[in-house]
Structures are given as C-alpha cells and as structure tokens.
C-alpha cells in the first residue's frame, strides 16, 4: 500500500473509532416535560416510556422526564417543543387551541363521552388519527393519546344544581369550549396554568375548578376545596407529541424502537388511568377534607340540560362535521339528554 493510502486508511479508521466512541458516550437525549405529578396516569406513563425506550435502545437513547411544571408551564412547554428546547410533551387536549389546532377542543364538550370505551372509539380510530395529522403543519408529530379521566367539580360551596355556579370564578385550561361550559352555568371562567391552581384556590383568586380526581388529589387541591361533586361532566386526556424535525431526524432503527416503546407505554398508561383515578378519589374521601357530593339522577339531568347547548355553540369553532362524526361513533344524541 502506498504511504498516502495508508495514512488515509488510518485517518478513516480513527474517525470511525472516534465516532463510535463519541456515539457510545453521548446518547440521544429526549427531554419529556409535563405539568402533573409523577404519581398520576400521565406521570407513570412517562416513566414507563423512559424505561422501555432506554432498555430497548440499550442506552442509545436517554429520556429525561421533567414532571410538575419543573421546566415549563402549560403555554411555555408548547413553545419550547416547537423551538426544540424539549423533544416530547403530553399536554391535555384542552391546550391545543392556542397552537391553532382548535379541533382538539371537541374532547372538552360536556357529556360527549359516557365512558372510556366510547372515547377510545374516537382516540383509537380514524378521527383520532386525522386530528393528530393536523399538528404536522405546526412542526409537531402526534404519537399517541393517553387517558386521564372524567372530571369532578370542586368549590367551597356545594355544587348540586347548575344555579349553584352562578357568579363563581372557576379556573379553566386554555379551551374556549371550557370557557363556554362555565358561562353556560353562569360562572366566570378564568384561564390559568396548572401549576398555579392550588395557590389560586388557597388564596381565593378563584373559587373552584374541574379536574379528574388524580390531579385533584396529587396537587392537594382537595385540601383547599370544601366540596367535590362527582359530576363526570367531561373528559380530560392527552396527546403525546414530539418535535417533528427531531423525530424525523432520528436514525430509522432508533425511531422504530421508540415507536414500539411508545405503543407499549400507551397501553400501560391507558390501562392504569381508571384505577388511578378511582384510587385518588378514595384517598380524597378518606382524607375527610372535602365533602363528596354524588348527584341524584334529577340533578344530573339538570346539568346535562344546562350544558348540552355548548355543543351547538361550539360548532363554529371546532366544526359541525367533526362533532357529528363523534356522535356517530359513540351513539351520542343531544336530543336524548
Ligand atoms: C390542567 O391544566 O388542569 C390539566 O391539563 C393538567 C394535566 O396535564 O393533567
């Protein structure tokens, strides 16, 4: 071999070695930021994804989970994802409006889903998929839907009938459908980041709020709310999303492994969601700090009657066709409420 060829071979071998070493030393990092406690359906789902992703890629990927708004609050985390400061989030479906994906607010319509089975027909079917596709033009890829659960209402006064909401300041997520929901009850909705809710309830900045029991419990909101009504009036769940450029730029074998890890973490999260919420509600009950109100069939009927008009009111914002396609999927009939 000529001297020049030898040098070239040595240089390229060194390059491969250095590259290999560098690769082994610096895994691909996925920062996964979220706003809830670790001990919730989303918190546990994120931990499960981390475990599966790191194990199956044999350390080539490192998932750093940042719970409890440690890195970013609601609005900032979406901006951070688009800028590439974090790679993965699981915001509630009620928080996609400010991104310009208002259709996701369809999940906030009161009483549109009676149970998880009806909901899954949407999230795990073609409607769910087509909604995720809408995120791509925003530089975001939707990977999965993760469940939380059905919401309860809380306040310092008992909420048994729609009239009981009159004049109350209620904290909401940034969804216009949730805004309409509380206006239909005569309350004053106030958008606020999740991380600020406990303090706002404690100091009386707002009077009440809505959330699935897992959030009410882990954020200790029940300690500063005298009454909790088990109204199941609406659903709260998540879309797991990634920065599209980042995801598309992953080595194909890694991306495939991560897709598999996400599929299994999704099953895990959705399998535990109901039990986590039931357990949280039981803990709230056991604490004795809030009185738990169960609605009578007549009271529930009055809530439904007061709230169903929000569906029609929201047609302009989220699309009549989308709302009707969900009715078709779940068998919901507003006339029957
Ligand atoms: C909320 O802001 O109430 C929820 O979106 C929090 C969450 O992520 O469950």
């Amino acid at each position: 071999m000529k001297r020049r060829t030898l040098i070239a071979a040595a240089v390229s071998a060194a390059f491969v070695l250095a590259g290999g070493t560098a690769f082994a030393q610096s895994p691909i990092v996925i920062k996964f930021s979220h706003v809830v406690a670790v001990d919730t359906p989303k918190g546990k789902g994120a931990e499960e994804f981390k475990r599966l992703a790191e194990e199956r890629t044999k350390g080539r990927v490192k998932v750093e989970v940042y719970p409890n708004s440690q890195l970013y609050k609601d609005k900032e985390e979406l901006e951070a994802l688009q800028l590439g400061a974090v790679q993965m989030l699981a915001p509630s479906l009620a928080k996609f409006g400010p991104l310009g994906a208002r259709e996701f607010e369809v999940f906030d319509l009161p009483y549109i889903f009676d149970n998880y089975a009806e909901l899954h027909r949407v999230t795990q079917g073609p409607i769910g998929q087509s909604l995720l596709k809408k995120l791509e033009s925003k530089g975001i890829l939707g990977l999965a839907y993760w469940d939380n659960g059905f919401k309860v209402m809380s306040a310092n006064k008992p909420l048994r009938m729609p009239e009981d909401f009159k004049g109350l300041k209620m904290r909401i997520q940034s969804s216009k459908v949730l805004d309409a929901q509380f206006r239909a009850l005569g309350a004053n909705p106030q958008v606020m980041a999740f991380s600020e809710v406990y303090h706002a309830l404690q100091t009386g900045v707002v009077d009440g709020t809505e959330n699935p029991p897992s959030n009410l419990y882990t954020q200790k909101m029940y300690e500063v709310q005298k009454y909790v009504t088990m109204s199941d009036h609406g659903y709260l769940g998540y879309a797991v999303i990634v920065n599209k450029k980042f995801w598309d730029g992953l080595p194909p074998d890694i991306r495939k492994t991560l897709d598999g890890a996400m599929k299994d973490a999704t099953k895990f999260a959705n399998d535990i969601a109901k039990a986590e919420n039931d357990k949280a509600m039981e803990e709230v009950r056991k604490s004795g700090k809030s009185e738990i109100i169960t609605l009578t069939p007549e009271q529930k009927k009055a809530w439904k009657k007061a709230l169903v008009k929000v569906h029609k009111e929201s047609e302009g914002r989220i699309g009549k066709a989308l709302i009707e396609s969900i009715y078709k999927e779940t068998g919901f009939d507003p006339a029957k409420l």
Side-chain angles (χ1 to χ4, degrees):
M1 218 187 282
K2 277 201 189 133
R3 200 165 164 239
R4 228 189 296 154
T5 324
L6 260 176
I7 291 172
V11 167
S12 85
F15 185 78
V16 167
L17 265 178
T21 315
F23 193 72
Q25 278 172 352
S26 33
I28 298 166
V29 174
I30 297 179
K31 290 190 178 171
F32 186 164
S33 166
H34 69 82
V35 300
V36 296
V38 177
D39 209 10
T40 55
K42 176 162 66 178
K44 290 185 175 179
E47 293 302 326
E48 181 67 0
F49 173 70
K50 170 185 169 69
R51 189 182 72 76
L52 294 173
E54 292 181 350
E55 198 178 283
R56 293 182 187 174
T57 61
K58 303 191 171 44
R60 281 174 71 195
V61 169
K62 186 169 185 303
V63 182
E64 295 174 358
V65 183
Y66 298 93
N68 264 319
S69 310
Q70 235 172 64
L71 273 191
Y72 299 105
K73 298 200 263 182
D74 301 355
K75 200 157 136 307
E76 291 90 337
E77 70 172 15
L78 282 160
E79 286 159 10
L81 185 82
Q82 285 180 301
L83 291 171
V86 293
Q87 289 71 37
M88 188 174 277
L89 307 173
S92 124
L93 302 168
K95 292 179 184 168
F96 285 85
L99 261 187
R102 307 190 275 194
E103 295 89 341
F104 282 86
E105 292 177 7
V106 78
F107 291 100
D108 300 328
L109 287 174
Y111 296 110
I112 193 162
F113 304 110
D114 266 340
N115 49 51
Y116 286 97
E118 283 185 8
L119 167 86
H120 291 160
R121 264 180 247 149
V122 175
T123 51
Q124 295 169 11
I127 303 175
Q129 279 316 302
S130 75
L131 283 172
L132 292 181
K133 273 250 165 294
K134 290 186 193 294
L135 297 171
E136 291 184 18
S137 63
K138 330 265 176 220
I140 291 172
L141 216 53
L143 299 183
Y145 289 97
W146 284 4
D147 287 336
N148 191 339
F150 291 85
K151 293 178 282 188
V152 298
M153 292 278 196
S154 65
N156 282 323
K157 63 177 276 198
L159 301 170
R160 292 197 174 89
M161 288 295 279
E163 302 85 87
D164 298 331
F165 284 86
K166 216 172 170 52
L168 290 187
K169 280 178 281 168
M170 300 297 286
R171 177 269 170 174
I172 57 164
Q173 309 173 76
S174 60
S175 156
K176 291 280 187 269
V177 169
L178 296 179
D179 184 280
Q181 168 188 276
F182 280 110
R183 290 193 192 283
L185 294 170
N188 299 317
Q190 211 164 302
V191 176
M192 187 180 287
F194 184 66
S195 56
E196 289 160 15
V197 182
Y198 173 84
H199 192 244
L201 290 170
Q202 189 188 35
T203 54
V205 169
V206 289
D207 300 309
T209 188
E210 57 165 12
N211 241 297
S214 60
N215 282 343
L216 177 86
Y217 177 61
T218 53
Q219 297 298 318
K220 301 193 191 316
M221 294 177 198
Y222 68 100
E223 291 186 357
V224 287
Q225 296 274 267
K226 292 202 178 84
Y227 298 91
V228 175
T229 303
M230 294 181 64
S231 44
D232 290 335
H233 61 281
Y235 170 77
L236 190 152
Y238 312 104
V240 184
I241 56 177
V242 285
N243 179 296
K244 185 172 183 319
K245 212 162 135 203
F246 168 77
W247 203 255
D248 289 346
L250 287 171
D253 61 322
I254 293 274
R255 193 168 53 236
K256 192 159 170 247
T257 306
L258 292 181
D259 280 335
M262 180 52 66
K263 192 162 170 257
D264 294 344
T266 298
K267 180 163 177 1
F268 171 86
N270 293 349
D271 282 350
I272 64 167
K274 184 172 185 308
E276 288 290 317
N277 276 296
D278 291 348
K279 210 166 64 191
M281 201 60 219
E282 202 36 48
E283 292 299 328
V284 173
R285 192 186 297 277
K286 271 201 326 229
S287 78
K289 300 231 186 234
S290 325
E291 188 181 323
I292 316 285
I293 298 171
T294 308
L295 297 176
T296 64
E298 291 72 34
Q299 287 167 342
K300 198 148 202 176
K301 209 162 169 195
W303 282 53
K304 287 186 174 176
K305 235 177 130 113
L307 288 172
V308 71
K309 64 175 178 218
V310 175
H311 291 217
K312 257 225 140 6
E313 276 173 29
S314 307
E315 281 176 358
R317 182 164 171 86
I318 48 191
K320 192 171 179 205
L322 175 59
I323 298 174
E324 283 179 351
S325 68
I326 294 187
Y327 288 174
K328 215 167 135 210
E329 207 60 62
T330 63
F332 179 92
D333 182 354
K336 284 206 187 126
L337 282 190

